[in-house]
Amino acid sequence: MSKPTILVTGAGGQIGTVLTESLQKRYGSDQVIATDIRPAASSNGIFEQLDIMNRDRLSQLIKDYKITQIYHLVAILSAKGEKDPLRTWQINMDSLFNVLEAARTHNIDRIFFPSSIAAFGPNAPAFNTPQFSYLDPTTVYGISKVAAENWCNYYFVKYGLDIRSLRYPGIISYQSKAGGGTTDYAVDIFRAALDHGKFTCFLKADSKLPMIYMEDAVRATMELMECPSNQIKVRTSYNLAGLSFTPQEIADEIKKHLPDFTIQYEPDFRQAIADSWPASIDDSKARKDWGWQPTFDLAKMTEEMLGQLRKKVDV
Ligand code: AKB
């Protein structure tokens, strides 16, 4: 395959910030068009301001830059989504339809769409949740992901659009902040530990959730997108696992580096969301079909997060 020309939506978000940089490194800065509703935070590479709800502007950018691939990352996440369910549904679904229709009419080669462990609900097995499981999410974010997964499959079957998707666990990163999610505590805890030596967690001590370190999440995304089409057997979305831990377990791991660190628990409305999600994920299908293999466990991730955040503070 020749070098793709890529448009990324939501490039200023938690995943977008890091994925865009990795795509620039892999394919060249002039091959990646970062877009976001907000102006660019950094001036690296090509940036275009884009409200993804504006179909005409999206089409124009695809034409202007001769785009061949789209990574559509815009979404309102689980916790924020509950504050305004109808707006969340509208943004998450309409933005997807804008991308799917633009991709269909402009013959885009490949699309990436991020789904989430939020697609699962209370009736899916909580441990090692299988690829093909009951999908009865309790959040509007999760409902939009299930619907979106099915629409992606529909466009693949009906129009032959090559769409690929991953059900991301909570993503842990030092480069970019998380925002609006239920797994965000696992990002915020590191900065709080370094800055204040203490952290108040909005989930209970024993709330186990699937997570993944950003480096693994980005690599999974790029490996999936580079995989020959005939190897992709799941056109809704692949289960993806990194590691699973509780707030207590991550706090204990941080204490190995910062012995005076303390954590207290004040569960809020996000506890009910976490309780409806899996504790761990079976990603054997991703491993079998395109060779997925995570590399970060809790100890390695914690060491890396603290080391990288310390460097950021020191700069
Ligand atoms: C969230 O917490 O909403 C997200 C997700 C798991 O999709 N991080």
Side-chain angles (χ1 to χ4, degrees), residues 14 77-79 115-118 141 168-171 180-184 277:
Q14 189 198 6
L77 300 190
S78 58
S115 186
S116 160
I117 53 149
Y141 170 66
Y168 285 136
I171 299 179
T182 304
T183 56
D184 292 7
W277 287 354

Side-chain angles (χ1 to χ4, degrees), residues 8-17 20 34-37 50 52 71-75:
V8 183
T9 77
Q14 189 198 6
I15 307 170
T17 309
T20 301
T35 74
D36 202 282
I37 195 163
L50 169 68
I52 189 62
Y71 287 65
H72 174 46
L73 306 179
V74 169

